[in-house]
Amino acid sequence: MFSALLNIVIPVFAVVGLGALYGRLRPGGALGYVNRANIELFTPALVFSALVKYPLDLMAHLSLIAAGALVILLPGLLLSLLRLRSISRPALILPAMFRNTGNLGIPLMVLAFGEQQLGAIIILFVLSNLLHFSVGMFILSANTSRWLWLRSPVLWAALAGLLVANLHIPLPEYLVTSASLLGQISVPLMLFALGIRLMEGELDHLGLALKCNLLYLLAGGISLGLAVWLLPLQPAWIPLLMLSVALPPAVLNYMLCEQYQCQPEKVASIVLGGNALSVLVIPLAVWLALHLGN
């Protein structure tokens, strides 16, 4: 078990660490273009090829979708009941809801549970993106951008993959192989870019960051418990949900809060602090997930 844990966790943090080192040695690079290509091309290709390769029956996965929505939305609702003088409510609840399911979650879950679970992993990833660009944007700005999620290439790639798989639309083998090759770029690039991005942040609000991230983990644990209790989940899905709530806040939270001037410096500290804390949390969560899976 310990050897399996090391084989999962060390490669993930090694690539993130190399990205951080590269970002320190080569500051001011063209990360924006790389991230844009990953969001608009490589990750959609991963989603499309995964859904074509591992066809999903959405009706059979309704309980997973409901559980995924619950563990995303309920922590935000729970944290909205708190009043912390040092941070606004939107800046507090956005990182509580939207975790790093892309850069860290996909590689971690694939390494832990194998490509046979990639379809379910993609469902959780697409669901998080959908809610991030709808509910999350609504929280930040109730008057604008509430339909921004419709512009997400990941969403349209997911819809295309589901249609092709469920309607049994024949595709040329070279097209599927090309999408698969492009998709394979996205996973290591997510981790590498995460390391570079973390080097750009500053941990100025250490106490606030630690307090918020501990609250997020507590709220995530409560949400996971309710999901398992209320919904008829397949045993293989529970470890995926467990890792989902243990992930640190997504870097995208900081980028969106910066765009809408919603205390971005405090959100940056929360995101950076959550990723630092994940060095301890992720190995424990992976160990528990593997133990549960066995």
Side-chain angles (χ1 to χ4, degrees):
M1 178 68 75
F2 184 70
S3 176
L5 176 63
L6 292 180
N7 289 337
I8 294 166
V9 173
I10 289 181
V12 170
F13 284 109
V15 179
V16 174
L18 286 172
L21 178 62
Y22 188 84
R24 178 67 68 184
L25 296 176
R26 296 286 189 270
L31 180 61
Y33 294 102
V34 173
N35 279 341
R36 185 168 183 176
N38 209 6
I39 292 172
E40 295 182 350
L41 180 60
F42 303 139
T43 302
L46 172 69
V47 170
F48 176 79
S49 60
L51 291 175
V52 171
K53 187 176 180 181
Y54 304 100
L56 291 174
D57 182 354
L58 284 183
M59 295 303 296
H61 288 76
L62 283 180
S63 59
L64 176 63
I65 295 171
L70 184 63
V71 300
I72 291 171
L73 299 176
L74 186 56
L77 180 61
L78 293 174
L79 269 294
S80 69
L81 302 176
L82 300 179
R83 292 186 179 181
L84 300 182
R85 294 182 180 180
S86 54
I87 189 170
S88 68
R89 185 167 285 129
L92 173 66
I93 67 176
L94 208 69
M97 297 166 66
F98 303 110
R99 322 299 286 174
N100 203 338
T101 55
N103 298 60
L104 192 55
I106 291 177
L108 190 64
M109 293 181 191
V110 170
L111 282 173
F113 305 111
E115 284 198 358
Q116 64 272 17
Q117 288 293 332
L118 190 54
I121 294 168
I122 291 298
I123 282 183
L124 294 175
F125 171 64
V126 172
L127 177 65
S128 178
N129 273 264
L130 177 62
L131 293 175
H132 208 160
F133 284 99
S134 54
V135 176
M137 297 297 293
F138 184 83
I139 291 171
L140 285 174
S141 178
N143 298 319
T144 60
S145 301
R146 63 179 63 181
W147 299 108
L148 186 64
W149 58 277
L150 287 174
R151 295 166 53 187
S152 171
V154 171
L155 171 65
W156 294 108
L159 291 176
L162 288 171
L163 285 175
V164 168
N166 287 277
L167 297 179
H168 305 289
I169 299 174
L171 292 178
E173 185 64 29
Y174 62 81
L175 181 60
V176 178
T177 303
S178 298
S180 180
L181 284 174
L182 287 173
Q184 290 172 24
I185 299 173
S186 68
V187 172
L189 191 56
M190 286 177 186
L191 295 173
F192 193 78
L194 174 62
I196 295 176
R197 181 68 71 184
L198 291 178
M199 285 296 98
E200 298 176 353
E202 295 182 3
L203 196 56
D204 295 331
H205 306 274
L206 180 59
L208 176 66
L210 179 61
K211 180 191 298 184
C212 289
N213 280 287
L214 291 177
L215 286 171
Y216 297 162
L217 292 172
L218 176 61
I222 294 172
S223 304
L224 175 63
L226 284 175
V228 174
W229 180 48
L230 294 173
L231 298 168
L233 297 172
Q234 294 183 16
W237 296 341
I238 298 175
L240 299 180
L241 293 166
M242 182 183 296
L243 286 185
S244 295
V245 301
L247 293 170
V251 180
L252 183 59
N253 292 310
Y254 161 68
M255 298 167 67
L256 292 177
C257 286
E258 185 177 43
Q259 180 181 350
Y260 286 92
Q261 289 302 299
C262 181
Q263 297 183 311
E265 71 288 344
K266 293 184 178 180
V267 175
S269 292
I270 290 172
V271 170
L272 185 58
N275 279 274
L277 189 62
S278 70
V279 175
L280 300 175
V281 174
I282 291 299
L284 177 60
V286 171
W287 180 83
L288 289 172
L290 290 174
H291 183 73
L292 183 64
N294 292 331

